[in-house]
Every structure is written in C-alpha cells, then in structure tokens.
C-alpha cells in the first residue's frame, strides 16, 4: 500500500516538473495546429478572427477540391506535388551522398588543413538562405558567371530561370507529347506533364539546395565517423579487408543510424522547400518551380483563401508523415 | 494517471473555446476616436525618392492638421497587408495595387470613401472604374501609368523611316516592323504577360472580363484576333519576348539597341536614363486595331475598414491627391497625376509624356474581379508559349478558369 501511494505521489511530482514544458508545447504547438485544422475546414477570408460564428464552415470541401474537382486549384496543386516530388527525388540522394563524401574527405588522415576544409564545407549552411539565393540568381542569370563560363568552353547554356522545359523531355529530345501520353492522366494532369521531370529552372534551385544543405549533414556524418572505434577498422585490416571492403562492410553499417537521420531530415526539409522558391522564382517559369509550401502561402495570403491554403499544408504534412513512416519501415526491414 | 494526457487535451479544448468567444468581433463599425489622430501609413515605395517625397508630404499634412502620420515603406506589401488584416490591426492608410483591389474590396477590408474626397469626378474615368466595385467608388487613385509605343530614333532613321511613319494601325505597324527588321535588330520587344499583350486584346475590342467584372469574356473572337495577330508578329520575328533577346525585360533589350521598338509604360524613362543614358527615343500612342487601346496601371490610397481614424485618414488622402501635391510627386519620382485638372501642368512640365497621359482616355485597367490572381498567372504561363500553342485553346482555358473563379 505505501508503495502505491508513494508511486502516485511520484507521478504527480513528475507531472508537476514537466508541467511548464507541457503547457508551453500545448499553447505554442498543439493549440495552433488545432486552430489551423479548424481554419482548413472553413472558408475564412482573413478578415478578423477565424473563430467567429459567422465564418462559413465548409467541412472537407477544401480538401475535396484539391483532389476531385476539375479546376485550376487542383491543377496547381498537382503541378506543385509533381515539381516537389522530382525535387525530393533528386535533392535527397544527392545531398546525402555529397555530405557523406565530404565527411569522408574531411575525416581522412591524409588531408592537411582539416579544420579549414571543415569550415569551408560548412560555410554555406550557416549563411542566410536568402543571401545565397540572391547570389545564385546572379550566377545563373543570362549574363552571369555560369553562362559566361559555359560560353568560354563554347557551350550555349540555357536561360536558367526562364526555361520551363522539363529535363526528361529535353533528354529524350521531345517537344510534343506522343499520342500515348497526351491523354489525361491521374488528377487531371496528362501523363506527359507528370513525366516532364524537373524544369531547367528547378535544376538550378536543386543545385543551390544541395550545395547549401550538404554542409550540415556532413557535420552529422563526421560526428558519427569519429565515433567509430579505430579498433574495428584495425581488426578488419588484420582480417585482410581492402579499402572498399572496409568502407562497405564496416564503416557504412556503423553509419546506419546517422544515415536514417540524414535521410529523414532531408526528406522533411525538401518537401517543405519555401524560401528559395520565394526569393528566386515565385513558381515561375510556367509554374515549374511551384511547390506545395509556396502554393499554400500564395493561396492564403494572395487569394485570401486561407481555408484552401491551410488544407494544402495539411496534405503536405500528411505526405511527409507517410513517407517518413515508409522510410523507417524500409530501413528497419533491411536491418533485421 | 493514464488518462491525464486526455484530460489535459479536454481542458485545452475547453480553453480554446473559451478564447473563441473572445474572438467575436465587436458589433457595428469600429469605434472612431476623436481628437488628434495618429495615422499609420504603409506604402509600397518604388525607391528612396518616393519614400522621401511621401514622408515630406505626410509631415507637412501632420503639422498643418495637428495629427500624427507615420509613413512606413513595405518590404512586401501584399504579405504585410494580408497578415495585418488577419490580425485585425491593419495600417490606417496603405497603397492598393489595382490588380489586387478586387481581392481586398471583396473581403470587406477597404473603406469605400471614394465619394468623400472633394471633386471625385476630376479623377480620370478609367481610373475611377478601376477602383469601383458593385457601383461603389472605393478609393482615390494615387497616380497612374499607361503603355505607349517607345521608338528608338536612331534605328528608325537608319531604316529610312520619317517621323510621319509612326504606325497608327496594326497594318501600318506590321509594315513598319518589316522595314525595321535587320541583322541583330528585332523590330519589337514585348513583355510576355497579359500586362503587355493584353493591350492588343483591348485594341481588338476584347478583354478578359466584362466592364463590371462579372462576366468572363476571355474566349471572344476579338481576343482571338488579338492573340493571332501577336502570334504572327512573333512567328515572323517582327516581335520577340525579352528572354529571347536575353534581357530580363523589354526595356533592357530596347536600351541595348537589340530592339527598335518596345511597348512599355512611363517608368521606362527613369530606367533608360539610369542604365542607357545615350539612347534617343520618343513615345507614341499604341497603334489601333478596331479601336484605340492601352492598359493602365495604378494604385489607390486604401483606407482600412477597421481603422479607428477614418476621418483623419480621409483628410490625409484628400491632401495627398490635391492636384498641386500630385504634381510635386510627379516631379519627385516620375508618376502621372490621377486628376485631370493636373494634366495641363504635367504636360507642360514633361512634354515628351503626352502619349502616356493621353492614353488615360482609352486605357483599360487590370482585371477587376476577386480571386483572379492564379487564373491570370496561368494565362501568362500560356502566353509565354504563344508561338507553340493554339491561341483558341489558350483563351478557352482562360475562359473556363475565369468562369470558375467568378462563380466562387
């Protein structure tokens, strides 16, 4: 009996101690999310509070519109999903591989001036993303450094930020859709549009993002690499494992938790890409850099359609959660 | 204890509903404060000259009227206003871009004070229409600009053309363009959006919506005629978009001498003076199709419906839109007065701007309907590919999207 009473008291004390954090989380995290969820069920127009009794309640109409109704709202949303899917598919593997590569270089015993390179690689990550975006605008502009560099080698580069052509279309050298793909595909977008690939303009943004984020992830890999006991590697060496084998069968498995972290953070971050789009392109050219995060912002703050804008961000949230769960599952299966 | 999180959630929900009752708006109009007012003014400034000029004018007004006026230049006025409206504390007076006017007015953010300004009929009728919704004149136009045909005089002479050859019809325009075409010189640089190509639609007698902004008229035969004409110009390389001339806008291509003509507004004066001071040019009315037509761009002085200082705000706008004040602004940062009574003095001061000012008589303002932003940017995306797309399909798409936006 006394034990039970004391446990109850312990519980109460515990709750008392975490109460400040719980309250702060509830007020600044949970409550706003619940409020946003309410807004996504209304057609609030941004005037006054969304919690008045005369704000029209529309149920799931805002969500319905994104998927089933054949109009511009759905088309824009689907285009943004397509753009962002290609973006994620390229950015996540690239930044993961690049970060690992940089970490291996910086961690190698042969490299001189390690701390210099470490800072240099990390530098883009600590610089403001807006400043970097503006710098890339100059580099990729029609008379910018990159265009002139390509010119020097006799290559006529594209007009990066005004080129709406899809990369996959370009690679295949196709201008017009073949009959099989011209028809309507899922959600009102033709197969031809779904399969366009990221546009040239989007590729410039992808290059920027990979360059900026890989520094942060390099640090994570670096920490993990330095955690691997030297003895392990020496043991592998004694067993006669070569360089590649040591990397493939000793280092890489030891990095698996970090790999999961980097992939998850990368996935979440790249589905939410906003500031680069806002600064560099605002969705142009021809909507090929439109992303759900930017579309949500535009729908809410430009069209005063806060309900639809919030609905987009909840769908985005759902996509991210589902993909993360899926990814966790895949990585766990490979472990067992 | 197991149920504690649940209980906490319930308490939270209760708290939220309790707060909810506090969100209810106070009944009727916002209470008006009496005595000296402190006005907050948010402007989307074109640069330092404009900020300084407006600040000076506001200070002078404040001193004279015994009120206070704080002018803040906005970083991104659409976003800042959107947040301010949602938060319920908008600035008292702010710039409203004509293309956004319908969005603001339709949600009830703007105070319809237009008729409280003295002599409202003095504003150009086309500008008043731009800021009228459901028959109510909402806000006083601040100033305006129109599009005109800008001609490079050097290239013009080189092609053997005289001053009398300036085209007044589409047919003449095609002919003159053919003569101007030369190695490395495109006759016309034209922006690839509705804000330039739309002028041809107006000249053909069409537009995206009906005059009252209630009907979609995108797929009219007049619009089709306009797009087909522009498409021929583009196909024959008599006209090109700025990016084909590797320029960020038409003025750049024109300034570099890559284009002999362009269609831009009076802002091109300042840009050419700053970047290409040597270029000799003149401005002429745009050639007419079925009728004369151009586009106008303008801002109005919006007053927030929620402002508690409406009387002072109206007095402030009154002072800012007086003819002599508008002339001061015109001299400071190159905008055209929105009052007809200031026209003569303006033309006297800036005789080369006649073509721009005269445009006010037949200019079409931006689309005056709510929720059209995404529809119009979709149309722009289509116009960018005009050479490879069927104009009829483009317009059909515009019509469908406009109808769905208007019926919302």
């Amino acid at each position: 009996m006394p034990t039970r009473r004391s446990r109850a008291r312990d519980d109460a004390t515990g709750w008392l101690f975490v109460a400040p954090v719980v309250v702060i989380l509830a007020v600044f995290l949970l409550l706003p999310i619940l409020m946003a969820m309410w807004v996504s069920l209304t057609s609030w127009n941004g005037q006054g509070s969304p919690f008045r009794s005369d704000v029209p309640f529309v149920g799931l109409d805002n969500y319905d519109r994104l998927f089933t109704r054949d109009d511009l709202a759905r088309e824009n949303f689907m285009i943004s999903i397509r753009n962002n899917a290609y973006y994620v598919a390229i950015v996540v593997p690239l930044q993961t591989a690049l970060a690992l590569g940089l970490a291996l270089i910086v961690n190698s015993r042969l490299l001189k001036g390690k701390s210099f390179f470490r800072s240099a690689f990390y530098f883009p990550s600590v610089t403001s993303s807006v400043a970097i975006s503006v710098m890339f605008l100059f580099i990729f502009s029609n008379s910018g450094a990159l265009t002139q560099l390509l010119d020097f080698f006799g290559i006529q580069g594209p007009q990066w930020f005004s080129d709406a052509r899809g990369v996959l279309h370009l690679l295949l050298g196709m201008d017009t859709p073949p009959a099989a793909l011209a028809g309507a595909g899922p959600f009102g977008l033709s197969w031809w549009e779904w399969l366009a690939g990221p546009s040239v303009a989007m590729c410039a943004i992808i290059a920027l993002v990979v360059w900026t984020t890989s520094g942060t992830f390099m640090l994570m890999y670096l920490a993990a690499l330095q955690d691997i006991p030297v003895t392990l590697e020496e043991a592998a060496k004694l067993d006669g494992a070569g360089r590649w084998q040591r990397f493939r069968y000793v280092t890489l498995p030891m990095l698996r938790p970090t790999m999961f972290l980097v992939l998850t953070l990368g996935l979440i971050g790249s589905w939410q890409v906003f500031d680069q789009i806002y600064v560099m392109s605002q969705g142009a050219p021809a909507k090929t850099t439109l992303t759900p995060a930017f579309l949500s912002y535009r729908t809410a703050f430009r069209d005063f359609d806060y309900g639809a804008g919030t609905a987009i961000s909840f769908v985005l949230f759902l996509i991210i959660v589902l993909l993360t769960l899926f990814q966790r599952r895949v990585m766990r299966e490979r472990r067992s | 204890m197991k149920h504690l999180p649940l209980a906490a959630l319930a308490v939270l929900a209760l708290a939220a509903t309790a707060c909810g009752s506090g969100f209810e708006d106070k009944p009727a109009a916002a209470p008006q404060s009496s005595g000296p007012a402190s006005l907050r003014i948010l402007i989307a400034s074109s640069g330092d000259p404009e900020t300084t000029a407006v600040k000076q004018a506001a200070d002078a007004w404040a001193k004279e009227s015994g009120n206070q006026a704080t002018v803040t230049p906005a970083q991104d006025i659409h976003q800042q206003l959107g947040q301010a409206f949602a938060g319920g504390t908008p600035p008292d007076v702010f710039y409203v871009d004509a293309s956004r006017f319908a969005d603001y007015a339709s949600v009830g953010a703007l105070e319809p004070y237009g008729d409280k300004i003295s002599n409202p009929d003095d504003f150009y009728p086309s500008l008043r229409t731009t800021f009228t919704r459901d028959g109510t004149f909402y806000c006083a136009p601040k100033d305006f600009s129109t599009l005109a045909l800008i001609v490079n005089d050097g290239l013009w002479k080189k092609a053997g053309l005289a001053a009398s050859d300036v085209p007044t019809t589409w047919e003449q325009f095609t002919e003159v363009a053919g003569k101007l075409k030369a190695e490395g010189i495109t006759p016309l640089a034209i922006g690839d959006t509705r804000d330039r190509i739309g002028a041809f639609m107006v000249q053909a007698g069409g537009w995206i919506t009906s005059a009252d902004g209630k009907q979609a008229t995108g797929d009219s035969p007049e619009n089709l005629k306009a797009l087909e004409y522009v498409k021929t110009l583009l196909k024959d390389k008599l006209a090109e978009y700025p990016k084909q001339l590797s320029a960020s806008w038409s003025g750049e291509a024109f300034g570099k001498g890559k284009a002999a003509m362009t269609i831009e507004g009076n802002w091109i004066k300042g840009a050419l003076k700053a970047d290409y001071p040597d270029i000799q040019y003149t401005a002429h009315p745009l050639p007419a199709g079925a009728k004369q037509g151009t586009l106008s761009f303008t801002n109005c002085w919006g007053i927030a419906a929620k402002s508690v200082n409406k009387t002072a705000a109206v007095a402030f706008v009154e002072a800012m839109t007086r003819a002599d004040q508008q002339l001061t602004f015109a001299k400071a940062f190159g905008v055209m007065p929105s009052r007809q009574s200031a026209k003569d003095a303006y033309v006297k001061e800036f005789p080369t701007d006649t073509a721009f000012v005269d445009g006010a008589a037949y200019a079409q303002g931006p689309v005056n309907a709510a929720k059209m932003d995404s529809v119009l940017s979709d149309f722009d995306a289509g116009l960018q590919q005009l050479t490879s797309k069927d104009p009829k399909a483009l317009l059909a798409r515009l019509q469908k999207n406009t109808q769905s936006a208007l019926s919302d």
Side-chain angles (χ1 to χ4, degrees), chain B residues 144-148 150 264-271 281 334-336 346 353 356-357:
Chain B
F144 77 108
S145 10
T146 60
L147 297 178
I150 318 288
E264 284 294 337
N266 32 318
W267 51 79
I268 198 174
K269 288 188 304 175
Y281 64 95
V335 292
M336 298 196 293
Y346 180 83
D353 277 7
F356 294 114
V357 183

Side-chain angles (χ1 to χ4, degrees), chain A residues 148-164:
Chain A
Q148 293 194 356
L149 188 75
L150 288 176
D151 259 0
F152 183 75
F153 291 107
I155 305 168
Q156 171 81 44
Q159 290 163 354
W160 295 94
F161 283 110
S162 45
D163 201 328

Side-chain angles (χ1 to χ4, degrees), chain B residues 34-396:
Chain B
S34 50
S38 168
L39 287 187
R40 288 175 302 139
I41 299 137
L42 187 72
I43 66 171
S45 176
S46 59
D48 281 342
E50 178 162 2
T51 311
T52 318
V54 176
K55 273 189 174 156
Q56 274 171 3
D59 286 345
W61 172 81
K63 213 177 232 172
E64 202 183 287
S65 65
N67 294 303
Q68 268 189 335
T70 321
V71 176
T72 317
Q75 299 296 324
D76 180 341
I77 195 161
H78 301 311
Q79 187 204 335
Q80 280 169 268
L81 281 179
Q83 283 175 351
F85 288 139
T89 53
D92 301 291
V93 182
F94 44 87
Y95 286 11
V96 177
D97 189 272
S99 62
R100 304 285 303 150
F101 161 72
D103 282 309
Y104 290 135
S106 70
V107 296
L110 293 182
E111 174 73 10
Y113 70 91
D115 290 325
K116 290 186 195 156
I117 294 286
S118 61
N119 201 3
D121 291 339
D122 187 25
F123 294 111
Y124 289 96
S126 61
L127 300 182
R128 248 179 324 163
T129 318
T130 302
F131 295 115
T132 299
R133 195 176 155 79
D134 297 331
T136 312
F137 175 40
Y138 269 76
C139 52
K142 181 171 83 76
D143 46 42
F144 77 108
S145 10
T146 60
L147 297 178
L149 185 69
I150 318 288
V151 168
N152 181 327
D153 292 339
L155 294 174
W156 193 259
K157 276 197 199 103
K158 218 165 144 192
L161 292 164
S164 57
D165 287 324
V166 171
T168 54
T169 64
W170 286 5
E171 291 76 26
Q172 288 176 14
F173 183 82
T174 316
E175 204 186 305
V176 168
K179 286 184 186 157
L180 282 168
K181 196 175 172 190
E183 180 69 35
I185 293 165
T186 303
L188 176 73
I190 181 170
D192 55 3
T193 67
R194 63 181 186 278
D195 287 336
R196 302 290 178 278
I197 296 171
F200 286 93
M201 292 162 65
V202 177
Q203 288 154 17
W207 186 235
I208 298 164
T209 57
S210 60
D212 61 1
K214 295 216 188 303
Q215 305 289 322
T217 56
D219 61 354
S220 69
E222 288 86 8
N223 288 341
L224 183 63
K225 211 172 149 195
L227 289 203
E228 272 170 350
Y229 178 64
V230 176
K231 187 171 175 170
T232 348
L233 290 179
L234 291 168
K235 276 221 145 146
D236 299 343
K237 297 274 173 201
L238 296 177
E240 281 191 281
Y241 289 151
K243 68 181 174 209
Q244 293 168 303
L245 299 162
S246 49
S248 56
W249 68 296
S250 305
E252 189 186 335
F254 182 79
K256 283 183 178 161
K258 286 182 184 169
M261 299 183 285
T262 186
I263 294 177
E264 284 294 337
N266 32 318
W267 51 79
I268 198 174
K269 288 188 304 175
L272 289 178
K273 201 168 149 193
D275 296 339
Y276 310 98
D278 299 333
I279 197 157
Q280 296 287 320
Y281 64 95
T282 42
H284 307 274
L286 292 178
K291 61 181 189 120
Q292 279 251 279
T294 185
L295 299 179
S296 70
F297 304 92
T298 171
N299 278 286
C300 81
W301 291 99
I303 294 182
K306 284 220 171 120
S307 167
V308 292
N309 302 314
K310 281 178 203 160
T311 323
V314 172
F316 174 77
V317 175
E318 172 81 47
M320 292 303 115
T321 52
R322 273 202 323 261
D324 57 330
Q325 180 61 54
Q326 290 203 329
L327 278 170
T328 315
F329 283 153
K331 282 172 202 157
F333 52 98
V335 292
M336 298 196 293
S338 56
R339 281 194 183 271
Q340 298 181 56
S341 56
K343 181 179 169 181
D344 290 338
Y346 180 83
V347 172
K348 209 170 156 194
E349 184 83 19
F350 304 101
T352 50
D353 277 7
T354 319
F356 294 114
V357 183
D358 288 347
Y362 47 84
Q364 165 74 51
V367 171
N368 188 350
K371 299 204 174 175
M372 285 290 287
D373 203 40
S374 53
V375 174
L376 294 173
S377 43
D378 182 76
F379 182 48
D380 281 349
L383 288 177
Q384 281 158 23
Q385 298 155 24
L386 183 58
T387 40
S388 61
K389 287 212 167 159
D390 176 19
K392 210 166 183 169
L394 277 184
L395 291 171

Side-chain angles (χ1 to χ4, degrees), chain A residues 243-262:
Chain A
R243 229 162 196 277
W244 168 250
Q245 282 172 318
R246 285 204 307 273
F247 172 69
R248 174 70 188 81
Y249 296 106
V250 178
T251 315
L252 220 46
M254 293 296 286
L255 287 178
R256 191 188 292 279
T258 315
M259 188 82 89
F260 176 72
L261 178 72
V262 167

